Amino acid sequence: MSESNLVTYRNLTKNYSRRTAPISKITIHHAAGVGTAQSIVDSFIPASRKASANYCIGNDGKIGQSVLESNRAWTSSSFWNDNQAITIEVSNSQRGGDWPISDAAYKSLIDLCVDICQRNGIKTVNYTGTKSGVLTEHRLYCATQCPGPYIHNLLVNGTIPTTINTRLLTGALTDRIYEGVDMSPVFNATYYSGRYPDLAAAGLHS
């Protein structure tokens, strides 16, 4: 089982268990505060915290790792969910209110979700608002607002799953970068959309 090459900081905690189920879900959390990838990852190091996440995204968009994908992070108040899911803790851009996240953090969240799907054979994602979806939330498993109204609304209105599925359909890791190479000079989104009208028919846009 591989790890994401998007990670720029790794500090593995001992707060985890062995994963015993195939990876089939992604659970998005928010940090309930503004932080860097390093500060969020490091916050999971103390054994007394009894919590962790596979990946952490800072307000500036940098990505850290706290738990290997082969292991079950202690994130969602649910053994069942975490045993199947890669969990992602995302920094907020401000405290309180709708608990928004920055554009940089959002971009990295999408990039990371696409990367996780591509490496783990997840062909498409969906959000159902129930435990059956590929994309799940902490709020499904305990009395919490996590991942906050901002991320929750992006799941409910389809923005996050549609953006991930568009990338998965085109095979691109990001909208213009693939395997570390900027494809902007050779990728024409307008031409691609016109050449493959079935994308628009499926509700997908480049």
Side-chain angles (χ1 to χ4, degrees):
M1 189 174 295
S2 62
E3 310 301 327
S4 178
N5 290 329
L6 300 175
V7 169
T8 59
Y9 177 76
R10 183 176 284 114
N11 189 12
L12 301 180
T13 181
K14 294 182 179 179
N15 297 337
Y16 69 87
S17 303
R18 290 294 298 174
R19 187 186 299 279
T20 59
I23 294 168
S24 59
K25 296 180 180 291
I26 297 173
T27 306
I28 302 169
H29 297 250
H30 77 141
V34 182
T36 65
Q38 180 172 342
S39 68
I40 301 171
V41 167
D42 290 350
S43 74
F44 290 127
I45 292 298
S48 59
R49 176 93 189 266
K50 297 182 180 178
S52 59
N54 293 104
Y55 294 103
C56 303
I57 299 175
N59 186 45
D60 61 358
K62 291 184 179 179
I63 300 173
Q65 186 170 21
S66 177
V67 176
L68 297 178
E69 291 190 19
S70 57
N71 294 324
R72 172 176 66 86
W74 301 345
T75 324
S76 309
S77 307
S78 168
F79 167 90
W80 178 85
N81 182 77
D82 289 345
N83 200 35
Q84 303 174 73
I86 297 297
T87 61
I88 305 172
E89 195 88 12
V90 186
S91 170
N92 301 100
S93 56
Q94 68 180 45
R95 293 183 61 86
D98 286 344
W99 294 100
I101 63 173
S102 68
D103 290 343
Y106 176 77
K107 180 181 184 302
S108 291
L109 173 62
I110 297 300
D111 291 348
L112 181 57
C113 286
V114 172
D115 177 46
I116 290 167
C117 289
Q118 289 177 335
R119 289 183 295 100
N120 289 284
I122 300 173
K123 303 300 183 184
T124 186
V125 301
N126 66 338
Y127 173 79
T128 64
T130 70
K131 300 173 185 179
S132 67
V134 173
L135 299 175
T136 57
E137 302 174 277
H138 194 179
R139 65 198 294 157
L140 295 173
Y141 303 100
C142 71
T144 177
Q145 286 196 350
C146 182
Y150 187 87
I151 294 175
H152 174 70
N153 289 337
L154 291 176
L155 289 166
V156 171
N157 68 24
T159 299
I160 289 176
T162 298
T163 304
I164 294 171
N165 286 332
T166 299
R167 303 270 184 86
L168 292 174
L169 183 62
T170 60
L173 178 59
T174 73
D175 55 351
R176 296 293 182 271
I177 300 174
Y178 181 65
E179 294 185 349
V181 178
D182 186 355
M183 303 301 290
S184 299
V186 296
F187 179 76
N188 186 314
T190 302
Y191 168 82
Y192 197 90
S193 297
R195 179 68 176 80
Y196 299 100
D198 55 318
L199 294 178
L204 303 176
H205 304 280
S206 55

